[in-house]
Amino acid sequence: GAPQDLAGRHVVVSAGGTREPIDPVRFIGNRSSGIQGYALAKVAAARGAKVTLVAANTSLPDPAGAAVVRVGSALEMRTAVLEAAASADAVVMAAAVADFRPVTSATSKIKKREGEDTLPIELVKNPDILAELVLRRTPGQVIAGFAAETDDVLEHGRAKLARKGCDLLVVNQVGEDLTFGAPDNAGVVLSASGPEREIPRGSKEALAAVVWDEIAALLG
Ligand code: C5P
């Protein structure tokens, strides 16, 4: 069986992609499948952790041993993650959280209008949950994020790790047919306190195992 190096630990993982409502039937979404976050939850549970999985718009079976909290929008994810994080030893933000949401969500379905060929939708920035977790960090708590980049992956990743103030940041390259919805992934784990660790292309479970190795080492 797996090492029980997370026994007695409570960990929180976010997964999936948020949907930001435009009206009752429409949303702004993204291509995240949730597979990487679910793999993180599954691996942590197998290694003995108590796992809270905050899942946004996924259609995957609940991972064995994880308590699943379902959310839709970034604001819902913020509430669920911050609540669960208050009692957590580690938090991994694997979800793709929308950076912006429509300023208002129409209460009834938006209709096409005669003579109007454009429909402006004004967006407002969502709170950065990862940055907020860092501000509210409890003593000894480990906080990790993911960063999907399409170019200059390492440079953007290093800058983001410094800006967000988290302990670990997993960076990976994304594109039309890389990573999203795929069973495999590759990346580099950036650490605020240790060396960078390259993870060759392999299963999302294998990448999850490396992330938990790093987190277990930081938890001591
Ligand atoms: O800045 P960027 O969106 O690339 O950062 C990615 C990381 O930040 C991910 O771990 C994601 O879950 C987290 N994030 C967040 N709240 C946001 C946007 C991103 O927690 N509003």
Side-chain angles (χ1 to χ4, degrees), residues 82-103:
L82 293 182
E83 189 193 327
S87 64
D89 298 291
V91 185
V92 182
M93 287 294 298
V97 183
D99 290 327
F100 295 92
R101 67 176 181 277
V103 171

PDB file of all heavy atoms in Angstrom, residues 82-103:
ATOM      1  N   LEU A  82     -12.330  28.624   1.879  1.00  0.00           N
ATOM      2  CA  LEU A  82     -11.880  29.324   3.091  1.00  0.00           C
ATOM      3  C   LEU A  82     -12.416  28.638   4.342  1.00  0.00           C
ATOM      4  O   LEU A  82     -11.714  28.527   5.344  1.00  0.00           O
ATOM      5  CB  LEU A  82     -12.288  30.802   3.056  1.00  0.00           C
ATOM      6  CG  LEU A  82     -11.607  31.664   1.986  1.00  0.00           C
ATOM      7  CD1 LEU A  82     -12.058  33.118   2.097  1.00  0.00           C
ATOM      8  CD2 LEU A  82     -10.081  31.583   2.060  1.00  0.00           C
ATOM      9  N   GLU A  83     -13.654  28.149   4.285  1.00  0.00           N
ATOM     10  CA  GLU A  83     -14.219  27.460   5.449  1.00  0.00           C
ATOM     11  C   GLU A  83     -13.438  26.180   5.743  1.00  0.00           C
ATOM     12  O   GLU A  83     -13.036  25.919   6.874  1.00  0.00           O
ATOM     13  CB  GLU A  83     -15.702  27.144   5.222  1.00  0.00           C
ATOM     14  CG  GLU A  83     -16.358  26.635   6.501  1.00  0.00           C
ATOM     15  CD  GLU A  83     -17.726  26.018   6.273  1.00  0.00           C
ATOM     16  OE1 GLU A  83     -18.445  26.486   5.362  1.00  0.00           O
ATOM     17  OE2 GLU A  83     -18.062  25.069   7.015  1.00  0.00           O
ATOM     18  N   ALA A  84     -13.197  25.371   4.717  1.00  0.00           N
ATOM     19  CA  ALA A  84     -12.484  24.105   4.921  1.00  0.00           C
ATOM     20  C   ALA A  84     -11.031  24.349   5.320  1.00  0.00           C
ATOM     21  O   ALA A  84     -10.450  23.600   6.118  1.00  0.00           O
ATOM     22  CB  ALA A  84     -12.546  23.265   3.641  1.00  0.00           C
ATOM     23  N   ALA A  85     -10.425  25.423   4.788  1.00  0.00           N
ATOM     24  CA  ALA A  85      -9.006  25.687   5.039  1.00  0.00           C
ATOM     25  C   ALA A  85      -8.726  26.057   6.489  1.00  0.00           C
ATOM     26  O   ALA A  85      -7.600  25.883   6.967  1.00  0.00           O
ATOM     27  CB  ALA A  85      -8.506  26.796   4.115  1.00  0.00           C
ATOM     28  N   ALA A  86      -9.747  26.561   7.192  1.00  0.00           N
ATOM     29  CA  ALA A  86      -9.537  27.006   8.579  1.00  0.00           C
ATOM     30  C   ALA A  86      -9.004  25.875   9.446  1.00  0.00           C
ATOM     31  O   ALA A  86      -8.264  26.115  10.404  1.00  0.00           O
ATOM     32  CB  ALA A  86     -10.836  27.567   9.143  1.00  0.00           C
ATOM     33  N   SER A  87      -9.349  24.625   9.110  1.00  0.00           N
ATOM     34  CA  SER A  87      -8.902  23.484   9.919  1.00  0.00           C
ATOM     35  C   SER A  87      -7.937  22.578   9.149  1.00  0.00           C
ATOM     36  O   SER A  87      -7.744  21.422   9.508  1.00  0.00           O
ATOM     37  CB  SER A  87     -10.119  22.663  10.364  1.00  0.00           C
ATOM     38  OG  SER A  87     -10.753  22.105   9.228  1.00  0.00           O
ATOM     39  N   ALA A  88      -7.337  23.102   8.086  1.00  0.00           N
ATOM     40  CA  ALA A  88      -6.506  22.252   7.212  1.00  0.00           C
ATOM     41  C   ALA A  88      -5.016  22.411   7.482  1.00  0.00           C
ATOM     42  O   ALA A  88      -4.545  23.493   7.819  1.00  0.00           O
ATOM     43  CB  ALA A  88      -6.793  22.570   5.746  1.00  0.00           C
ATOM     44  N   ASP A  89      -4.277  21.320   7.311  1.00  0.00           N
ATOM     45  CA  ASP A  89      -2.811  21.360   7.371  1.00  0.00           C
ATOM     46  C   ASP A  89      -2.222  21.783   6.032  1.00  0.00           C
ATOM     47  O   ASP A  89      -1.124  22.318   5.984  1.00  0.00           O
ATOM     48  CB  ASP A  89      -2.278  19.972   7.738  1.00  0.00           C
ATOM     49  CG  ASP A  89      -2.753  19.541   9.112  1.00  0.00           C
ATOM     50  OD1 ASP A  89      -2.305  20.145  10.098  1.00  0.00           O
ATOM     51  OD2 ASP A  89      -3.612  18.630   9.190  1.00  0.00           O
ATOM     52  N   ALA A  90      -2.944  21.493   4.958  1.00  0.00           N
ATOM     53  CA  ALA A  90      -2.456  21.852   3.624  1.00  0.00           C
ATOM     54  C   ALA A  90      -3.635  22.130   2.700  1.00  0.00           C
ATOM     55  O   ALA A  90      -4.695  21.510   2.834  1.00  0.00           O
ATOM     56  CB  ALA A  90      -1.598  20.725   3.042  1.00  0.00           C
ATOM     57  N   VAL A  91      -3.441  23.068   1.797  1.00  0.00           N
ATOM     58  CA  VAL A  91      -4.460  23.405   0.802  1.00  0.00           C
ATOM     59  C   VAL A  91      -3.793  23.412  -0.572  1.00  0.00           C
ATOM     60  O   VAL A  91      -2.742  24.034  -0.743  1.00  0.00           O
ATOM     61  CB  VAL A  91      -5.090  24.797   1.064  1.00  0.00           C
ATOM     62  CG1 VAL A  91      -6.239  25.049   0.086  1.00  0.00           C
ATOM     63  CG2 VAL A  91      -5.561  24.932   2.501  1.00  0.00           C
ATOM     64  N   VAL A  92      -4.404  22.707  -1.524  1.00  0.00           N
ATOM     65  CA  VAL A  92      -3.894  22.710  -2.893  1.00  0.00           C
ATOM     66  C   VAL A  92      -4.988  23.249  -3.810  1.00  0.00           C
ATOM     67  O   VAL A  92      -6.059  22.645  -3.938  1.00  0.00           O
ATOM     68  CB  VAL A  92      -3.471  21.298  -3.357  1.00  0.00           C
ATOM     69  CG1 VAL A  92      -2.889  21.368  -4.778  1.00  0.00           C
ATOM     70  CG2 VAL A  92      -2.462  20.685  -2.406  1.00  0.00           C
ATOM     71  N   MET A  93      -4.706  24.388  -4.424  1.00  0.00           N
ATOM     72  CA  MET A  93      -5.669  24.990  -5.347  1.00  0.00           C
ATOM     73  C   MET A  93      -5.372  24.503  -6.762  1.00  0.00           C
ATOM     74  O   MET A  93      -4.584  25.099  -7.495  1.00  0.00           O
ATOM     75  CB  MET A  93      -5.577  26.523  -5.285  1.00  0.00           C
ATOM     76  CG  MET A  93      -6.153  27.161  -4.034  1.00  0.00           C
ATOM     77  SD  MET A  93      -7.953  26.964  -3.858  1.00  0.00           S
ATOM     78  CE  MET A  93      -8.542  27.820  -5.317  1.00  0.00           C
ATOM     79  N   ALA A  94      -6.027  23.395  -7.127  1.00  0.00           N
ATOM     80  CA  ALA A  94      -5.851  22.857  -8.481  1.00  0.00           C
ATOM     81  C   ALA A  94      -6.954  23.326  -9.417  1.00  0.00           C
ATOM     82  O   ALA A  94      -6.896  23.067 -10.617  1.00  0.00           O
ATOM     83  CB  ALA A  94      -5.804  21.333  -8.430  1.00  0.00           C
ATOM     84  N   ALA A  95      -7.964  23.986  -8.870  1.00  0.00           N
ATOM     85  CA  ALA A  95      -9.092  24.433  -9.702  1.00  0.00           C
ATOM     86  C   ALA A  95      -8.691  25.591 -10.601  1.00  0.00           C
ATOM     87  O   ALA A  95      -7.823  26.384 -10.252  1.00  0.00           O
ATOM     88  CB  ALA A  95     -10.253  24.866  -8.809  1.00  0.00           C
ATOM     89  N   ALA A  96      -9.338  25.658 -11.748  1.00  0.00           N
ATOM     90  CA  ALA A  96      -9.222  26.825 -12.619  1.00  0.00           C
ATOM     91  C   ALA A  96     -10.322  27.794 -12.198  1.00  0.00           C
ATOM     92  O   ALA A  96     -11.509  27.577 -12.483  1.00  0.00           O
ATOM     93  CB  ALA A  96      -9.384  26.414 -14.077  1.00  0.00           C
ATOM     94  N   VAL A  97      -9.918  28.813 -11.461  1.00  0.00           N
ATOM     95  CA  VAL A  97     -10.875  29.800 -10.958  1.00  0.00           C
ATOM     96  C   VAL A  97     -10.918  30.952 -11.949  1.00  0.00           C
ATOM     97  O   VAL A  97      -9.870  31.494 -12.315  1.00  0.00           O
ATOM     98  CB  VAL A  97     -10.439  30.326  -9.568  1.00  0.00           C
ATOM     99  CG1 VAL A  97     -11.470  31.308  -9.019  1.00  0.00           C
ATOM    100  CG2 VAL A  97     -10.193  29.181  -8.596  1.00  0.00           C
ATOM    101  N   ALA A  98     -12.112  31.316 -12.363  1.00  0.00           N
ATOM    102  CA  ALA A  98     -12.223  32.429 -13.319  1.00  0.00           C
ATOM    103  C   ALA A  98     -11.646  33.698 -12.707  1.00  0.00           C
ATOM    104  O   ALA A  98     -11.941  34.024 -11.560  1.00  0.00           O
ATOM    105  CB  ALA A  98     -13.688  32.663 -13.688  1.00  0.00           C
ATOM    106  N   ASP A  99     -10.818  34.396 -13.466  1.00  0.00           N
ATOM    107  CA  ASP A  99     -10.250  35.646 -12.975  1.00  0.00           C
ATOM    108  C   ASP A  99     -11.306  36.750 -12.919  1.00  0.00           C
ATOM    109  O   ASP A  99     -11.201  37.659 -12.105  1.00  0.00           O
ATOM    110  CB  ASP A  99      -9.081  36.080 -13.868  1.00  0.00           C
ATOM    111  CG  ASP A  99      -7.875  35.157 -13.713  1.00  0.00           C
ATOM    112  OD1 ASP A  99      -7.674  34.643 -12.600  1.00  0.00           O
ATOM    113  OD2 ASP A  99      -7.145  34.953 -14.702  1.00  0.00           O
ATOM    114  N   PHE A 100     -12.321  36.650 -13.801  1.00  0.00           N
ATOM    115  CA  PHE A 100     -13.362  37.686 -13.870  1.00  0.00           C
ATOM    116  C   PHE A 100     -14.749  37.053 -13.897  1.00  0.00           C
ATOM    117  O   PHE A 100     -14.905  35.920 -14.337  1.00  0.00           O
ATOM    118  CB  PHE A 100     -13.197  38.521 -15.149  1.00  0.00           C
ATOM    119  CG  PHE A 100     -11.920  39.330 -15.185  1.00  0.00           C
ATOM    120  CD1 PHE A 100     -10.763  38.804 -15.761  1.00  0.00           C
ATOM    121  CD2 PHE A 100     -11.881  40.606 -14.644  1.00  0.00           C
ATOM    122  CE1 PHE A 100      -9.593  39.550 -15.799  1.00  0.00           C
ATOM    123  CE2 PHE A 100     -10.709  41.355 -14.685  1.00  0.00           C
ATOM    124  CZ  PHE A 100      -9.564  40.832 -15.255  1.00  0.00           C
ATOM    125  N   ARG A 101     -15.744  37.791 -13.447  1.00  0.00           N
ATOM    126  CA  ARG A 101     -17.146  37.366 -13.550  1.00  0.00           C
ATOM    127  C   ARG A 101     -17.965  38.535 -14.083  1.00  0.00           C
ATOM    128  O   ARG A 101     -17.570  39.692 -13.899  1.00  0.00           O
ATOM    129  CB  ARG A 101     -17.694  36.934 -12.187  1.00  0.00           C
ATOM    130  CG  ARG A 101     -17.819  38.069 -11.192  1.00  0.00           C
ATOM    131  CD  ARG A 101     -18.458  37.664  -9.847  1.00  0.00           C
ATOM    132  NE  ARG A 101     -18.561  38.805  -8.953  1.00  0.00           N
ATOM    133  CZ  ARG A 101     -17.592  39.269  -8.184  1.00  0.00           C
ATOM    134  NH1 ARG A 101     -16.419  38.669  -8.173  1.00  0.00           N
ATOM    135  NH2 ARG A 101     -17.777  40.332  -7.427  1.00  0.00           N
ATOM    136  N   PRO A 102     -19.113  38.246 -14.709  1.00  0.00           N
ATOM    137  CA  PRO A 102     -19.978  39.349 -15.135  1.00  0.00           C
ATOM    138  C   PRO A 102     -20.393  40.186 -13.922  1.00  0.00           C
ATOM    139  O   PRO A 102     -20.694  39.636 -12.863  1.00  0.00           O
ATOM    140  CB  PRO A 102     -21.186  38.638 -15.748  1.00  0.00           C
ATOM    141  CG  PRO A 102     -20.626  37.341 -16.239  1.00  0.00           C
ATOM    142  CD  PRO A 102     -19.606  36.947 -15.193  1.00  0.00           C
ATOM    143  N   VAL A 103     -20.386  41.494 -14.100  1.00  0.00           N
ATOM    144  CA  VAL A 103     -20.743  42.414 -13.011  1.00  0.00           C
ATOM    145  C   VAL A 103     -22.130  42.083 -12.475  1.00  0.00           C
ATOM    146  O   VAL A 103     -22.353  42.079 -11.270  1.00  0.00           O
ATOM    147  CB  VAL A 103     -20.683  43.885 -13.508  1.00  0.00           C
ATOM    148  CG1 VAL A 103     -21.264  44.839 -12.478  1.00  0.00           C
ATOM    149  CG2 VAL A 103     -19.239  44.260 -13.827  1.00  0.00           C
TER     150      VAL A 103
END
